Amino acid sequence: HHPDHMDRVVARISEAFASGSPWEDTFPLRGKDGQYRWFLSRALPIRGTNGAILRWHGTHTDIDDQIQAREAQARFGEDLERQVVARTQELVEANARLLAEMAERRRAEEALRQSQKMEAVGQLTGGIAHDFNNLLTGITGSLDLMRKRIEQGRIGDLDRYMTAAAGSANRAAALTHRLLAFARRQPLDAKPVDANALVASMEDLFHRTLGETIEIAFDLPAHLWTTFCDPHQLENALLNLVINARDAMPDGGRLVIRTANRDIDVMEATAVDGPKPGRYVAVEVGDTGVGMTPDTMARVFEPFFTTKPIGQGTGLGLSMIYGFARQSEGSVDIRSRPGEGTTFTLLLPRFQGSEPSVEGPASSTLPITADGETVLVVEDDMVVRNLVLDVLRDLGYRTLDAQDGMAALAILQGRERVDLLVTDVGLPGLNGRQLVEMARASRPALKVLFITGYAEDAAFGQGVADTAVQMIPKPFAIEALAAKIREMIKA
């Protein structure tokens, strides 16, 4: 017996012999080779008829292999557990390093995006400042000279200065419209449009724009679908594309304008800025000019980016076209190679409805009222508010005015006659949309004309217009404002 187990074995077997109960124990025994091996020993008492123990019957089984295997398994389990703990710790540390790297990458990407954003903002604001400073110089300089000429009694040149100031102001308005077009915030007057008829109506203008060295061809197939967009913005887009094509063919060339029906399926609608699946009218302008490099194509829609010499382009034409297409739920595509020309394709959504009606020419005279209709004007800018009020009074309208939404709401909830509400959208506090919603609770038939510098989708909806709620963008001509007011009141 192994000395470490001897006392235990003797005590247990002595207890079994004394009580006459079966005995079982495991212990190591030393063999002839001097090595200890584990044995399982059992003994049962054999009793006579009187119950006395006659003898003990026992077995002695070598279980060393089983014991060694169990101990090896235990050691393996302990080793495995230690390895699992160690590996888990390694994975925890590796995961921590990965998370730290991801966080650092995100910080680096955010810093890069911020840098790119600031670069874009700097380019945008620099371009705006440059153009607006020129325009403001034309306006303020003309006004200063007008004041001096009036003080001197020399009024012969006033018309020239007035024309110069008005021209600069109109160009400033066009610049803001282009910026809003790029940002998809320009007010759009979308309606059903026959693109073939629109292109055909501009043919003379295209010829005058291109000159004699450039051949122009049209491919306008019959049965073209009607599209739904702002026809004036489509005209501007086409004219910009034709001008760009002309500048890309200084030695002459050929320009083709074509239209087509296009079905865009899910497989084609994979690009981030591409069209959604659906039916579109394609308007394509292709030239045989100098073409563009991939780097230029990647930046061509950025505001104020231009490849033209200083003074020959603002860099807003293509960004305006991009914004117009996207705001119209369409897209614009470019195909170009250096030396092989460029093709721009406008995709505009198909109109789902009846064919458009042909509108007659607008009257050039100001419509004067004779019925004493009352118009409520809500505008926080005092200069704009007084201008609109003066126009309305000159046309014979009775006027009410308010500088914010709450003051206007108090009037509308009273008993005053109001035939039309003319309101800005971006009012302080209660904005124009909220004012209309609350006012219509007591005046459900109230007619509303929004005057705004940019359109909000929530204010004017998408697609179907409410004839009792219309919009006119700032800055507006007096004739346009008067005509719109008379049209809405008499509708």
Side-chain angles (χ1 to χ4, degrees), residues 2-22:
H2 194 287
D4 293 344
H5 297 264
M6 184 65 184
D7 292 341
R8 175 182 62 80
V9 173
V10 170
R12 290 195 60 186
I13 197 169
S14 298
E15 180 182 351
F17 286 168
S19 62
S21 58

Side-chain angles (χ1 to χ4, degrees), residues 14-34:
S14 298
E15 180 182 351
F17 286 168
S19 62
S21 58
W23 172 76
E24 179 179 316
D25 203 354
T26 56
F27 41 77
L29 294 176
R30 190 177 63 199
K32 289 170 57 175
D33 58 0

Side-chain angles (χ1 to χ4, degrees), residues 45-210:
I46 306 301
R47 299 178 186 274
T49 56
N50 59 357
I53 297 175
L54 302 179
R55 62 185 184 277
W56 288 79
H57 179 75
T59 60
H60 213 44
T61 307
D62 186 334
I63 61 169
D64 193 71
D65 290 343
Q66 293 95 313
I67 294 294
Q68 294 297 336
R70 188 165 62 222
E71 290 179 353
Q73 185 177 14
R75 288 193 301 272
F76 176 77
E78 292 172 359
D79 289 343
L80 181 61
E81 185 176 355
R82 284 193 295 270
Q83 292 176 17
V84 169
V85 171
R87 183 58 179 161
T88 301
Q89 182 61 32
E90 292 176 2
L91 292 174
V92 169
E93 294 173 356
N95 187 55
R97 290 194 298 270
L98 179 61
L99 291 175
E101 291 174 3
M102 291 172 61
E104 181 62 29
R105 184 179 296 112
R106 282 195 296 269
R107 285 192 293 269
E109 290 173 351
E110 182 61 29
L112 177 60
R113 282 194 296 269
Q114 184 67 18
S115 174
Q116 292 172 336
K117 184 193 303 181
M118 294 308 297
E119 181 181 356
V121 169
Q123 181 180 355
L124 180 63
T125 54
I128 293 172
H130 174 269
D131 286 1
F132 263 106
N133 283 336
N134 287 339
L135 297 169
L136 290 174
T137 300
I139 296 171
T140 58
S142 297
L143 292 175
D144 286 343
L145 287 174
M146 287 172 62
R147 183 169 53 249
K148 289 182 179 179
R149 293 295 185 267
I150 292 173
E151 290 173 354
Q152 297 168 355
R154 299 163 54 190
I155 61 175
D157 292 334
L158 292 186
D159 285 345
R160 180 160 62 91
Y161 297 136
M162 290 171 60
T163 300
S168 294
N170 288 334
R171 289 196 299 276
L175 178 59
T176 58
H177 284 169
R178 289 178 175 181
L179 291 169
L180 290 173
F182 169 74
R184 307 178 205 175
R185 290 294 185 270
Q186 67 175 334
L188 291 181
D189 185 15
K191 60 185 64 176
V193 175
D194 181 345
N196 281 350
L198 184 142
V199 171
S201 69
M202 300 179 69
E203 182 175 352
D204 289 342
L205 178 60
F206 293 152
H207 281 291
R208 290 196 301 271
T209 301
L210 294 173

Side-chain angles (χ1 to χ4, degrees), residues 354-414:
S354 58
E355 292 299 317
S357 59
V358 179
E359 298 180 359
S363 172
S364 60
T365 59
L366 297 182
I368 304 297
T369 181
D371 300 331
E373 294 98 339
T374 300
V375 180
L376 171 59
V377 179
V378 189
E379 170 62 65
D380 59 316
D381 189 298
M382 183 178 64
V383 174
V384 176
R385 185 171 70 250
N386 289 336
L387 172 64
V388 175
L389 290 172
D390 287 344
V391 171
L392 292 170
R393 290 164 185 159
D394 287 348
L395 298 175
Y397 293 100
R398 178 174 174 267
T399 60
L400 301 170
D401 66 280
Q403 66 178 4
D404 56 46
M406 293 303 298
L409 186 62
I411 296 174
L412 291 167
Q413 290 178 340

Side-chain angles (χ1 to χ4, degrees), residues 379-454:
E379 170 62 65
D380 59 316
D381 189 298
M382 183 178 64
V383 174
V384 176
R385 185 171 70 250
N386 289 336
L387 172 64
V388 175
L389 290 172
D390 287 344
V391 171
L392 292 170
R393 290 164 185 159
D394 287 348
L395 298 175
Y397 293 100
R398 178 174 174 267
T399 60
L400 301 170
D401 66 280
Q403 66 178 4
D404 56 46
M406 293 303 298
L409 186 62
I411 296 174
L412 291 167
Q413 290 178 340
R415 302 180 63 86
E416 285 278 3
R417 172 183 174 179
V418 176
D419 297 282
L420 177 66
L421 169 64
V422 178
T423 179
D424 191 7
V425 176
L427 296 171
L430 191 68
N431 65 39
R433 289 182 292 110
Q434 296 167 331
L435 169 63
V436 171
E437 291 172 2
M438 298 176 71
R440 280 192 157 183
S442 56
R443 297 177 186 247
L446 178 66
K447 297 176 181 179
V448 181
L449 176 61
F450 283 106
I451 51 175
T452 179
Y454 68 96

